Amino acid sequence: MTKKIVLVLLLALVFNAGYGQKNTTIQEKLKFYNKEYPQEKVYIHTDRKYYAPGEPIWFQSYITAGYLHEPSPFSANVYIELYSASDSLVAEKLIFSDDGFGQGVIDIPQKLAEGNYILRAYTNWMRNFDQGFFFEKPIVVVTGSELEKGASAVGSEIDLQFFPEGGHLVSGIPTKVGFKAINRSGKGAYVEGEVYNSAGVKVTSFSAQHDGMGLFTLLPLAGESYSVRLTGKDEVYSLPELKKEGYGMEAILRPNQLRLIFRANINNPSKDKFKALIHTRGLVSHIIEVDLSKGEALGVISTDEIPAGISHITLFNENDRPLLERLVFIDRPIETSLSLDKNNYKPREKLTTKIKLTDLNGDPFTGMMSMSVLDMDKVIDGSPEQTIYSELLLTSDLKGYVDNPMYYFNGENTEAKKHLDLVMMTHGWSRFVWDDLMSDNYPSFGFPVELGVSLEGTLYKESSNKIESSGKVTLVNNRSFPPLILEAETDKNGRFSFQNLMVYKSDNLLLKGKSSKSKDNVRFEVDTLKESVSLPLPEFKSILSEELKFEKEDFLQFKKERDMIERAFNPDSLFTDLGTVMVEGDKLQVEREDKQLKEKTAYGRGTAAFDFTEWSATGAYTNIFSALVGKFPGVTVRMGPTGEPTVVIRAGGFTYPALFLLDDVPTDAALISGLSPVNFSRVVLFKGLAATAIFGDAGKGGVMAFYTKSADGISLSPEELKNSSTVTVELPYTYDQPREFYAPKYDVQKPEDAKPDKRVVLHWQTMISLDENGEATIEFYNSDDAKQIMFDVQGLTNSGIPFFINKIYTIEGKN
């Protein structure tokens, strides 16, 4: 029998000054990796999980960077995608993140089928690493129709995997063996069974404790092999192969302390030097010299010295070769409180909510958060199964699927911590592999950090494949305020680039090219016009059931009532898409409607319009104003010697300078003149009283509103793109304009308040800042009939600590 000796614990935040100075290879490499390859994580907080078609998914995005989970100062772009269970892309968004925080909304299509969906999010920088660590969140769409079933997961086959603590079964070393049983649908399955040696003698028995997971203790004997038989099953499972010599580890978490036991079954262990390294997301908290000369070593560490989240305990030999590894979870939530100003509320009465965050010493935290308030009688949702706390500290660092991760952070469940340790034993963390780290095999920088939208391309000589080096490309965004005008020079390969642009979906980008001799005889190939960002098909770690098992009748009935209210009070809010139909009618009536459509602008109907899409002679002109000569009665267009236009719109015998619009935005004639005529779809004219009534004094000289094909939803043909020195560009990824969540205010009576208030989401608010006292006050109004409401608050402190508050209040009653 071996004797235990006490480990000498060398505690340090980075590494021990004595032992560490002799061999700091591991620490130095971890430090380098964390500095040069900071890990970003994305979390998306949605207002709920269950939706009906046509409803919006409101969300706030969080990006963290590094082992401290601080709000990321790096990436500004968050890619968000909604996939069906069959990997079909349903919707996608690009969200701008301001110092780690963004917001947006995804409208669920009206005709989306009932079923399970996955919301996935990532940054471009995260694509350099394993996409298995992209953020994922289950979303369920409910329609009332029967869910179309795929291949049925019938049968009783069980995938049973075994995980010896530390990684190996070694003869003579007692070892806890974790196991996880998964059924054909990918869910944890309850199992019980027995372990047998090679002679068929029962050694021990076991049963699953939670979600198909459990453990048993085994003392392997030299020369033996072990197998498992499940109760009621015929299949035989083999335990991992037994090693004749090797090492073992046991980790025991107790309140405020971590007990570690290292064991060895090797010849001459006194000749070898060992060390155990403890790190959390790459941040080293302990380096421990392990003396295994007696075959066993014991030590105790205060968990106060280990950061919150998943920590790795790895035993290395003197050559820095990893021998064993064990994961443990350190749970350290901060103090949070949420209170209401009253106990009971009347219908449509204002609720005032106060949130406060402090550490254990009462010192306040600052940070950012988002909040959803649900009427529990109208939703299927219960307490959230996934929060920023469970994501950043647990599931984002695990590759396998974890069902209902918030289960493990229920303070009222006395078994939760024990079951969480089963997760640690049966899941592996693989953001990097020790062998790759020690051999300097680092990820490649194929995907840079994005600080905005980029636009790149190549400038060529007109009608040829000869590049135009030292040419100039001008980018104009006339819809930004003030108008954005940027210029780039092409390099020796004819390449140009505009980086870190703030471009929204409603923006139209115009590119104007010039040769090195300032000539217009050039053409573009814009990268973003040829293909958008593509990714391999997603490999989701989330497991979704094939059937929706919940009560949904009430949810759908409330949705039906809300739709009826909207139709009654706002007939245009909901409509039925009949698709493409052929309507036969009065030819003159059709022509009149077509004319009215061409004359339509954001300012109302114009006096007249000219349609370039039906005029083939446009290509004969190099200037749009030249093409307009003689097209409008009472309008004189003259071209100057250098191509500058003069436009006179006569009305009432007076002449004033004309006003020019480009896609409804005021601009000057020079900018419009610089665009190739192939870019335009129509021109709308305002003159006389029609101009002054809408534009005031600015319209006294008449108004010409020019519309590009891009603005009217018409794509340029490949030939037009190939031979044009000026193009309008449609980028595949641009930002959504922020949309405001509708929150009625009943402090002042308004006519629209006559509409019944049957809201499901009583309140949704993003970008809520905690003040210097760690407090935030949020106000909103009750609906007509909410009786029980749930607050789902999630956020991140400025120091990188995730937090959540989940509370249910009964608010019905008399004041």
Side-chain angles (χ1 to χ4, degrees):
M1 179 180 296
T2 58
K3 297 181 179 179
K4 298 180 180 179
I5 63 170
V6 178
L7 288 169
V8 178
L9 303 182
L10 306 178
L11 308 180
L13 288 177
V14 180
F15 52 88
N16 173 264
Y19 181 85
Q21 283 182 352
K22 296 178 182 179
N23 186 352
T24 60
T25 304
I26 299 173
Q27 299 93 295
E28 288 178 344
K29 288 182 179 294
L30 270 176
K31 185 177 180 180
F32 173 81
Y33 184 86
N34 289 326
K35 180 181 178 181
E36 299 299 327
Y37 302 88
Q39 302 290 298
E40 283 191 326
K41 297 181 180 180
V42 172
Y43 177 74
I44 305 296
H45 179 202
T46 62
D47 62 320
R48 49 198 163 121
K49 176 181 176 179
Y50 296 92
Y51 299 86
E55 291 188 322
I57 302 175
W58 297 93
F59 64 83
Q60 174 160 330
S61 65
Y62 297 81
I63 311 179
T64 68
Y67 46 68
L68 295 179
H69 284 153
E70 293 176 314
S72 178
F74 306 122
S75 294
N77 292 353
V78 184
Y79 295 89
I80 301 179
E81 301 162 344
L82 183 65
Y83 283 90
S84 71
S86 60
D87 293 348
S88 297
L89 182 63
V90 175
E92 58 184 337
K93 296 283 183 179
L94 176 63
I95 299 301
F96 177 74
S97 179
D98 187 6
D99 290 331
F101 306 101
Q103 59 181 317
V105 60
I106 295 175
D107 292 308
I108 298 177
Q110 286 281 359
K111 295 184 178 181
L112 197 62
E114 178 167 293
N116 296 288
Y117 295 81
I118 285 285
L119 192 68
R120 184 171 76 156
Y122 55 92
T123 67
N124 197 55
W125 174 253
M126 290 171 64
R127 296 172 64 190
N128 292 305
F129 309 93
D130 190 338
Q131 70 166 320
F133 293 106
F134 287 1
F135 170 80
E136 292 176 11
K137 178 184 177 71
I139 295 291
V140 182
V141 176
V142 184
T143 67
S145 60
E146 288 296 322
L147 177 65
E148 183 179 350
K149 297 180 181 179
S152 178
V154 296
S156 57
E157 290 87 346
I158 295 293
D159 178 16
L160 184 60
Q161 299 180 30
F162 300 97
F163 305 89
E165 187 172 20
H168 307 289
L169 285 177
V170 181
S171 62
I173 296 181
T175 305
K176 288 186 294 186
V177 179
F179 66 85
K180 183 163 187 178
I182 300 173
N183 59 26
R184 290 191 64 183
S185 66
K187 293 285 189 177
Y190 175 80
V191 293
E192 55 185 30
E194 297 170 334
V195 180
Y196 295 87
N197 63 17
S198 57
V201 178
K202 174 184 170 183
V203 177
T204 188
S205 59
F206 61 87
S207 62
Q209 300 176 29
H210 173 71
D211 197 26
M213 297 179 293
L215 61 82
F216 56 86
T217 300
L218 184 68
L219 177 58
L221 301 179
E224 279 286 2
S225 61
Y226 297 90
S227 61
V228 167
R229 295 177 185 173
L230 297 181
T231 302
K233 308 290 183 182
D234 296 329
E235 189 171 356
V236 177
Y237 301 86
S238 298
L239 291 187
E241 184 179 355
L242 185 66
K243 299 181 67 173
K244 183 178 179 181
E245 291 187 346
Y247 310 87
M249 177 199 306
E250 184 176 0
I252 305 170
L253 267 175
R254 293 180 176 173
N256 303 318
Q257 71 174 217
L258 171 64
R259 296 171 60 85
L260 296 175
I261 303 173
F262 295 96
R263 300 181 176 96
N265 177 16
I266 55 176
N267 293 322
N268 300 320
S270 59
K271 292 183 178 181
D272 296 325
K273 295 181 179 179
F274 303 92
K275 62 181 174 182
L277 179 146
I278 302 178
H279 78 88
T280 307
R281 298 178 296 274
L283 175 63
V284 178
S285 60
H286 297 76
I287 294 291
I288 306 168
E289 184 176 357
V290 180
D291 183 358
L292 287 172
S293 60
K294 303 299 183 181
E296 187 168 293
L298 166 70
V300 179
I301 299 172
S302 170
T303 54
D304 292 338
E305 299 163 343
I306 303 177
I310 296 177
S311 289
H312 301 247
I313 307 163
T314 310
L315 181 69
F316 293 88
N317 64 12
E318 60 184 358
N319 297 319
D320 287 340
R321 178 175 173 268
L323 304 174
L324 302 169
E325 185 159 89
R326 168 73 148 91
L327 308 186
V328 295
F329 190 91
I330 305 300
D331 190 13
R332 194 177 296 117
I334 60 180
E335 296 292 322
T336 61
S337 67
L338 183 152
S339 59
L340 296 177
D341 58 332
K342 297 169 62 176
N343 293 326
N344 301 297
Y345 297 88
K346 298 177 181 178
R348 303 195 177 195
E349 187 176 3
K350 182 167 69 173
L351 288 80
T352 301
T353 306
K354 186 175 182 179
I355 295 173
K356 186 175 180 66
L357 265 69
T358 62
D359 61 18
L360 295 178
N361 298 321
D363 295 327
F365 285 105
T366 57
M368 193 77 74
M369 59 188 176
S370 43
M371 181 174 77
S372 177
V373 185
L374 303 179
D375 183 341
M376 295 302 287
D377 292 328
K378 295 187 178 69
V379 297
I380 299 170
D381 295 74
S383 297
E385 300 172 353
Q386 177 187 36
T387 70
I388 191 171
Y389 188 85
S390 66
E391 177 68 19
L392 293 186
L393 297 184
L394 179 63
T395 51
S396 65
D397 286 335
L398 295 175
K399 245 194 139 173
Y401 170 70
V402 179
D403 190 31
N404 190 11
M406 282 304 296
Y407 163 87
Y408 303 102
F409 305 105
N410 183 351
E412 299 177 359
N413 183 355
T414 57
E415 297 291 298
K417 290 188 182 299
K418 181 175 71 173
H419 294 163
L420 179 56
D421 198 50
L422 291 176
V423 176
M424 296 298 97
M425 289 193 64
T426 57
H427 288 74
W429 190 82
S430 52
R431 283 190 179 272
F432 64 83
V433 178
W434 283 116
D435 290 343
D436 289 341
L437 191 68
M438 300 310 297
S439 60
D440 297 328
N441 184 17
Y442 298 112
S444 60
F445 285 133
F447 303 97
V449 169
E450 292 180 329
L451 300 178
V453 176
S454 62
L455 193 159
E456 300 176 348
T458 307
L459 192 64
Y460 294 91
K461 294 188 181 298
E462 186 177 23
S463 301
S464 75
N465 291 322
K466 188 175 182 181
I467 62 168
E468 184 63 64
S469 60
S470 300
K472 285 188 169 40
V473 178
T474 302
L475 169 67
V476 179
N477 184 357
N478 203 42
R479 289 199 174 184
S480 64
F481 184 81
L484 176 69
I485 302 177
L486 300 174
E487 190 173 87
E489 185 170 325
T490 59
D491 62 17
K492 63 180 181 180
N493 298 315
R495 298 287 296 169
F496 64 89
S497 174
F498 296 96
Q499 300 292 330
N500 307 331
L501 303 173
M502 284 292 294
V503 183
Y504 293 93
K505 288 192 181 302
S506 59
D507 292 345
N508 284 323
L509 300 183
L510 308 176
L511 286 180
K512 173 69 176 177
K514 292 280 189 181
S515 69
S516 58
K517 298 180 180 180
S518 298
K519 301 293 185 181
D520 291 334
N521 56 338
V522 293
R523 67 177 182 88
F524 290 103
E525 277 191 9
V526 182
D527 294 355
T528 48
L529 290 178
K530 292 189 291 187
E531 60 180 0
S532 60
V533 177
S534 60
L535 280 172
L537 283 176
E539 299 174 1
F540 296 125
K541 61 183 177 183
S542 298
I543 306 297
L544 298 177
S545 60
E546 293 191 1
E547 295 184 3
L548 305 176
K549 297 180 179 179
F550 47 75
E551 295 295 331
K552 59 186 180 183
E553 288 77 11
D554 290 344
F555 174 78
L556 294 170
Q557 181 60 34
F558 282 120
K559 174 64 166 60
K560 184 177 180 180
E561 290 179 12
R562 292 195 304 275
D563 288 349
M564 292 175 64
I565 291 170
E566 288 299 320
R567 287 191 180 96
F569 286 83
N570 186 10
D572 294 332
S573 63
L574 297 171
F575 61 90
T576 301
D577 185 3
L578 298 178
T580 302
V581 297
M582 181 67 70
V583 179
E584 295 184 3
D586 188 334
K587 181 179 178 181
L588 292 177
Q589 176 66 21
V590 173
E591 291 177 350
R592 281 194 296 269
E593 292 176 355
D594 185 55
K595 180 176 182 293
Q596 292 171 3
L597 184 62
K598 290 184 175 63
E599 294 173 353
K600 184 179 179 181
T601 74
Y603 302 95
R605 279 187 61 195
T607 310
F610 184 79
D611 185 0
F612 279 106
T613 62
E614 298 178 358
W615 190 55
S616 59
T618 306
Y621 295 89
T622 59
N623 187 294
I624 187 65
F625 287 98
S626 298
L628 287 176
V629 174
K631 299 301 182 296
F632 292 110
V635 176
T636 302
V637 179
R638 297 188 182 93
M639 304 305 297
T642 58
E644 73 278 8
T646 301
V647 179
V648 177
I649 304 174
R650 294 187 297 276
F654 298 96
T655 57
Y656 297 95
L659 173 65
F660 299 99
L661 306 177
L662 180 60
D663 294 335
D664 292 322
V665 179
T667 186
D668 56 37
L671 175 63
I672 295 173
S673 180
L675 298 176
S676 171
V678 299
N679 288 280
F680 293 94
S681 64
R682 59 192 172 99
V683 178
V684 180
L685 177 70
F686 293 83
K687 59 186 295 189
L689 293 177
T692 55
I694 297 173
F695 300 95
D697 285 345
K700 287 191 301 184
V703 178
M704 271 192 168
F706 293 79
Y707 290 89
T708 61
K709 291 178 179 177
S710 174
D712 280 344
I714 303 171
S715 299
L716 293 174
S717 69
E719 190 64 27
E720 288 172 333
L721 285 173
K722 183 177 180 180
N723 296 310
S724 180
S725 64
T726 308
V727 296
T728 56
V729 181
E730 296 179 59
L731 297 176
Y733 286 102
T734 51
Y735 301 120
D736 274 4
Q737 288 283 1
R739 209 160 95 194
E740 186 176 355
F741 176 81
Y742 171 69
K745 295 183 178 181
Y746 295 124
D747 49 346
V748 178
Q749 192 170 2
K750 299 176 287 295
E752 56 266 28
D753 294 343
K755 180 172 71 173
D757 188 345
K758 303 288 184 180
R759 282 172 291 150
V760 170
V761 184
L762 296 184
H763 194 63
W764 167 256
Q765 188 168 338
T766 58
M767 305 297 185
I768 305 171
S769 296
L770 293 162
D771 62 19
E772 65 276 6
N773 299 314
E775 297 178 348
T777 300
I778 301 98
E779 297 179 341
F780 61 94
Y781 286 81
N782 193 12
S783 64
D784 286 342
D785 53 2
K787 300 173 184 178
Q788 193 177 52
I789 62 176
M790 182 181 73
F791 288 86
D792 173 20
V793 179
Q794 302 184 34
L796 186 70
T797 70
N798 290 337
S799 56
I801 302 175
F803 61 90
F804 71 96
I805 304 173
N806 182 243
K807 278 195 173 185
I808 296 178
Y809 285 94
T810 300
I811 63 172
E812 180 189 31
K814 297 181 179 179
N815 291 313

